[in-house]
Amino acid sequence: MLKRSTILTSMVLFSCLTTSNAFADTTQHNTFQAVPSKDELLTHTDFGNQNYIFHFNGGGHQLTRIDFIDHMQTSQNVCNSWKYVSALSNWNVAAQILLHVSADYDPTNHTCTAHAYLSNNGVQMSQVMHLFETKSYVDIAGFNLSADGFDSALDDI
């Protein structure tokens, strides 16, 4: 019994330690598009199931909202259970940032959009902005985005 539980414990511990880096080198190709008239940055990805819209005020100086648009079909119950989105640098998974989100369900398309607002997240929004300005890759809402082009697109706002 002890031998079996030791093996199971070892397997569980190994899987916990390795899953956090499972997608560290799996980055979807993405670009950022500035929309100056709306103070927004849009992501365009090759995966296509999720898009992000970063909303700013003051010409790109303060991140005020992030929309996480999930194009995969889902149920309203699943959408309503979406309460948090994580953001982290792949090289420091211990420094995870949790953003509180509110979600909207689209009954026509059966899709969900989550919104992280500055009013609910305060300093966390600044931390997310800092990640995109200083890191090469940012894992946000489960997708590993390249931060290349973020600063130049932000300059266009």
Side-chain angles (χ1 to χ4, degrees):
M1 177 71 177
L2 179 61
K3 187 176 181 179
R4 186 182 310 156
S5 65
T6 303
I7 291 170
L8 288 173
T9 302
S10 298
M11 287 173 52
V12 169
L13 181 60
F14 178 76
S15 69
C16 289
L17 294 174
T18 58
T19 55
S20 63
N21 290 326
F23 297 103
D25 292 326
T26 306
T27 303
Q28 60 181 333
H29 300 284
N30 60 280
T31 58
F32 295 96
Q33 175 188 355
V35 183
S37 63
K38 295 182 178 182
D39 283 338
E40 294 177 349
L41 287 184
L42 308 176
T43 61
H44 298 285
T45 63
D46 62 355
F47 190 67
N49 286 335
Q50 238 177 358
N51 291 93
Y52 307 93
I53 304 174
F54 297 86
H55 302 266
F56 298 90
N57 70 4
H61 296 290
Q62 185 176 30
L63 181 59
T64 58
R65 186 174 94 215
I66 306 171
D67 297 332
F68 304 94
I69 304 167
D70 191 344
H71 299 288
M72 293 181 70
Q73 287 196 353
T74 190
S75 70
Q76 186 164 4
N77 288 341
V78 170
C79 184
N80 291 341
S81 68
W82 200 358
K83 303 294 181 199
Y84 294 94
V85 164
S86 67
L88 53 106
S89 164
N90 285 333
W91 308 117
N92 189 4
V93 294
Q96 176 175 286
I97 301 163
L98 285 179
L99 298 172
H100 184 277
V101 296
S102 59
D104 296 320
Y105 180 70
D106 178 353
T108 303
N109 297 311
H110 305 288
T111 58
C112 190
T113 300
H115 312 278
Y117 294 97
L118 177 62
S119 60
N120 293 350
N121 292 291
V123 71
Q124 292 93 328
M125 294 294 265
S126 297
Q127 291 170 337
V128 169
M129 180 96 163
H130 180 74
L131 283 176
F132 276 98
E133 291 175 326
T134 60
K135 304 297 178 188
S136 297
Y137 300 98
V138 178
D139 187 302
I140 188 162
F143 286 96
N144 193 14
L145 294 179
S146 169
D148 291 341
F150 185 85
D151 284 337
S152 60
L154 193 57
D155 289 342
D156 291 341
I157 291 180

